[in-house]
Amino acid sequence: ALITTFGDIFPGAVVVEAGVGSGALSLYLLRAIGAQGRLHSFERRQEFAEIAQANVRTSFGHHPENWTVTIGDLQERLASVVESGSVDRVVLDMLAPWECVEQVSQALAPGGLFIGYVATVTQLSRLTEELRGSGNFNEPEAFESMTRDWHLQGLAVRPEHRMIGHTGFIVIARRLAPGT
């Protein structure tokens, strides 16, 4: 929800995602872009791509015509799948998204958004520094995403005593026009 909202994923958008995993994010991206949009998904592992495709087929009842899944590294395959400057949004949920910044900046249209999801502070630092260093993006913004359950019983309304939490960081940067 945070990725689709803060990433401003809109109906008709052309979106690239990498790190497909189970396909859960793909489902939400497909819903957000609608039938007029286009989703290009990249996954390194064949078995993950198959799981994601099966989950999307189960959810939609068919394989959406506006969704392609490419097996392989985004860095190596992106330029052969999308035209330079033709992508509205790029969503990376992968181990080393900083390795893809150059290729992503070529694919994104000026004004397009980069959205990265990382799990560690070290990844957060490397990604934001790579975005800054490229000279192709505005100042990256980052925030942490956490969920905390609450105990709701009569007047005893308080956070749960124990929290099994997973935290993650979302990084957003806007593609600048060349020469800006």
Side-chain angles (χ1 to χ4, degrees):
L2 293 173
I3 288 171
T4 58
T5 301
F6 285 98
D8 189 26
I9 311 295
F10 59 92
V14 176
V15 178
V16 166
E17 74 162 330
V20 175
S22 69
L25 180 56
S26 303
L27 281 167
Y28 287 102
L29 292 172
L30 285 162
R31 287 185 180 124
I33 64 173
Q36 278 64 46
R38 184 93 192 131
L39 178 60
H40 300 281
S41 300
F42 292 81
E43 176 54 60
R44 286 180 174 177
R45 297 177 60 177
Q46 177 75 36
E47 64 271 23
F48 285 178
E50 290 171 3
I51 290 167
Q53 289 172 319
N55 287 335
V56 169
R57 269 193 309 275
T58 297
S59 181
F60 284 106
H62 66 280
H63 183 97
E65 292 180 20
N66 61 340
W67 184 41
T68 58
V69 179
T70 302
I71 308 300
D73 290 332
L74 177 80
Q75 310 88 295
E76 297 170 5
R77 307 286 311 273
L78 184 60
S80 66
V81 174
V82 300
E83 288 184 38
S84 180
S86 68
V87 175
D88 299 303
R89 305 290 185 262
V90 172
V91 180
L92 301 183
D93 178 3
M94 57 194 314
L95 183 62
W98 53 87
E99 294 175 351
C100 303
V101 167
E102 182 58 38
Q103 292 80 5
V104 163
S105 67
Q106 295 302 313
L108 274 170
L113 288 178
F114 169 92
I115 304 100
Y117 177 83
V118 292
T120 71
V121 173
T122 308
Q123 289 172 307
L124 176 64
S125 177
R126 281 196 74 180
L127 178 55
T128 55
E129 290 306 312
E130 188 66 31
L131 288 165
R132 280 188 191 107
S134 77
N136 294 321
F137 295 90
N138 71 341
E139 182 64 17
E141 297 178 23
F143 59 92
E144 186 174 13
S145 170
M146 301 174 32
T147 301
R148 179 171 71 170
D149 291 331
W150 280 70
H151 173 83
L152 305 170
Q153 187 174 12
L155 296 176
V157 177
R158 57 171 163 58
E160 289 288 348
H161 290 297
R162 294 189 182 184
M163 178 177 159
I164 299 173
H166 174 72
T167 184
F169 302 96
I170 296 176
V171 178
I172 299 175
R174 188 168 301 277
R175 174 67 164 101
L176 299 171
T180 303

